[in-house]
Amino acid sequence: MTGPVVITAAVVGAEVTRAQNPAVPYTPVEIAAAALAAGRAGAAVVHLHARWPDGRPSQEAGHFREIIDRIRQAGSDVVLQCSTGGALGMSIEERLGALVDGAEMATLNLGTMNFGDGVFLNPRPDIVRVAARLRERGLVPECEVYDGGMLGTLGWLLGEGHLSPPYHVQFVLGVPGGLSAGERQLRFLLEGLPGATTWSVAGVGRHQLPMAKLGLSLGGHVRVGLEDNLFVSKGVLATGSDQLVSLAVDFALRAGREPASPSRARALLGIEPARPS
Ligand code: KMH
Ligand code: ZN
């Protein structure tokens, strides 16, 4: 497989903590620094969450604004993707707080599921509401697919006109409660995609790096970072999401895939070219 690969760095997430890995960023300053380092390492897209200074998940617009401003003020043109997934237990209104000016993409989670010991609530009316908000704001949706049935919802959204291209699909595999991470599972999902689309894969925990290699070999794009995985190898903590991005870059080059620049990623994902700030 040839063609550039869009590497997304999920640098913070909502669930992982500094007690698990001291490199998990919390403040806007730290999150922006992690995003900038990931961009320098070769990520074209950063998937952003926010935190309160004590590490609790935040969907406060002010936090997202500060993160984005800091990334742009540092001169990075990395593609900015904000999470509307937030954290378990947040209302949909709270989750939409992440949609601030400057965001270019945002996630659209395609179904309710067990998520570890909790429940990640995404009833269909909420999905439709998030999709409408993304459309209003001109954001390219990244559809988060954790299990096979969510592809049915993707097809329904397209059929009802709630979603239309450009959109991107992210398969997040290995969440306890979702589809497990493996080649058979990914191939099954790819067969179920309703129509041509760009797609990417994110493996959770120890599946992250093997799934990145698999995604590369199948012609997809890949996501790595501390949100999904805290380790660089068995028992060895990653020093940051940039280290995981560097590994993904190595895998890509070995697979004959050039890591896409942010501007190439915008063209591939159907995002308007970045406006000079
Ligand atoms: N924190 C997870 C429950 C997203 O970013 O859109 C959901 C999540 C998905 O991280
Ligand atoms: Zn996320």
Side-chain angles (χ1 to χ4, degrees):
M1 286 287 177
T2 54
V5 54
V6 176
I7 299 175
T8 295
V11 297
V12 51
E15 287 79 27
V16 292
T17 67
R18 221 172 250 174
Q20 297 170 297
N21 181 331
V24 174
Y26 285 171
T27 65
V29 171
E30 292 165 352
I31 294 167
L36 290 165
R40 284 192 298 271
V45 178
V46 287
H47 168 74
L48 296 169
H49 286 250
R51 303 287 185 105
W52 294 96
D54 63 3
R56 281 177 299 122
S58 156
Q59 291 290 105
E60 289 290 310
H63 287 152
F64 280 88
R65 252 184 246 120
E66 183 178 347
I67 293 165
I68 284 178
D69 286 350
R70 286 183 179 277
I71 292 170
R72 288 292 184 249
Q73 278 159 14
S76 172
D77 68 339
V78 72
V79 177
L80 300 170
Q81 180 191 97
C82 291
S83 169
T84 66
L88 303 184
M90 288 178 170
S91 71
I92 200 69
E93 201 50 47
E94 185 177 6
R95 285 161 53 179
L96 288 170
L99 301 183
V100 298
D101 289 351
E104 300 175 271
M105 298 181 84
T107 55
L108 178 64
N109 288 276
L110 292 190
T112 294
M113 61 188 290
N114 284 338
F115 203 101
D117 290 334
V119 177
F120 186 28
L121 268 180
N122 293 291
R124 209 161 71 171
D126 283 358
I127 300 172
V128 168
R129 183 158 160 216
V130 176
R133 191 69 73 86
L134 301 195
R135 201 169 44 247
E136 276 162 32
R137 297 191 67 93
L139 299 170
V140 172
E142 176 178 285
C143 299
E144 310 292 288
V145 171
Y146 304 85
D147 213 337
M150 297 186 191
L151 289 177
T153 300
L154 177 57
W156 180 84
L157 290 168
L158 291 165
E160 295 295 315
H162 296 303
L163 184 70
S164 55
Y167 64 90
H168 176 63
V169 173
Q170 182 75 254
F171 296 114
V172 183
L173 300 183
V175 172
L179 192 60
S180 51
E183 179 163 357
R184 206 162 48 93
Q185 293 83 341
L186 181 57
R187 286 186 183 275
F188 161 76
L189 292 170
L190 291 174
E191 279 172 24
L193 275 176
T197 174
T198 53
W199 63 271
S200 171
V201 64
V204 172
R206 67 190 164 83
H207 301 291
Q208 179 167 88
L209 298 173
M211 290 310 285
K213 282 186 187 161
L214 179 65
L216 285 161
S217 73
L218 295 179
H221 304 288
V222 301
R223 173 170 118 179
V224 294
L226 294 183
E227 171 168 347
D228 304 323
N229 166 42
L230 297 165
F231 294 90
V232 72
S233 59
K234 192 170 163 59
V236 182
L237 290 172
T239 54
S241 292
D242 55 321
Q243 190 185 23
L244 297 163
V245 170
S246 295
L247 287 173
V249 168
D250 280 353
F251 299 158
L253 295 175
R254 277 174 218 266
R257 310 268 316 268
E258 193 67 33
S261 65
S263 60
R264 191 72 204 270
R266 285 187 180 88
L268 290 166
L269 300 172
I271 302 169
E272 299 268 307
R275 272 169 254 125
S277 48

